[in-house]
Amino acid sequence: MAVKTKRLKVYFDGGCRPNPGAMEAAVVIRGVAHISTGIGVGTNCDAEWLALILALKVAQDSGVEDFELLGDSAVVVAQARREQKCRGADLQRHFDAFAALVGERAWPRVKKIARAQNLAGIALVRLHER
């Protein structure tokens, strides 16, 4: 009998202060937070895309092929799922970078979750509590 493995959940979130402003991104995988600060100046959408791209890199580096990318940005999730077109050159550039990372692999699962469920968002909030 084959053993079914659980799909790896990779949480992502990005933000900036103010909007637009200095961007940061977080990814949580297997309970470990990967936080990137000082990643440039942009909008919340830019930061969310950079977080999603980082999440894909971290997931691919994990060596696990069955994973899903979980974030709370409805716009970025819809764009990454190819359900909504990117408006503007900057967002299209982020999508293109994401697609290039996917390469010849199967398109990754990207899912919208509630803000309260987003472990990466919680990690970013904690970063600012210090």
Side-chain angles (χ1 to χ4, degrees):
M1 178 164 70
V3 176
K4 184 176 179 183
T5 59
K6 279 186 155 182
R7 181 171 295 133
L8 180 64
K9 294 182 179 191
V10 183
Y11 299 86
F12 69 92
D13 197 20
C16 60
R17 292 167 188 244
N19 184 19
M23 295 184 295
E24 58 194 12
V27 172
V28 174
I29 182 172
R30 294 184 174 127
V32 176
H34 303 262
I35 297 177
S36 294
T37 58
I39 57 174
V41 174
T43 66
N44 278 337
C45 262
D46 292 315
E48 290 283 357
W49 262 111
L50 293 176
L52 175 58
I53 290 166
L54 178 61
L56 180 57
K57 289 177 183 175
V58 170
Q60 289 173 338
D61 289 348
S62 77
V64 174
E65 291 187 32
D66 191 15
F67 59 85
E68 61 185 346
L69 307 170
L70 307 170
D72 57 42
S73 172
V75 170
V76 171
V77 168
Q79 291 170 347
R81 292 172 62 156
R82 301 174 288 190
E83 297 170 349
Q84 179 177 324
K85 290 190 183 239
C86 294
R87 297 177 197 241
D90 289 340
L91 298 181
Q92 186 62 50
R93 206 168 20 255
H94 297 315
F95 177 86
D96 293 344
F98 182 78
L101 274 174
V102 172
E104 297 298 317
R105 299 175 184 95
W107 200 260
R109 290 176 178 87
V110 184
K111 183 178 175 186
K112 164 86 171 69
I113 58 172
R115 175 83 172 137
Q117 295 175 307
N118 192 343
L119 300 181
I122 293 167
L124 284 179
V125 167
R126 289 185 179 156
L127 177 69
H128 294 287
E129 289 177 349
R130 299 177 188 166

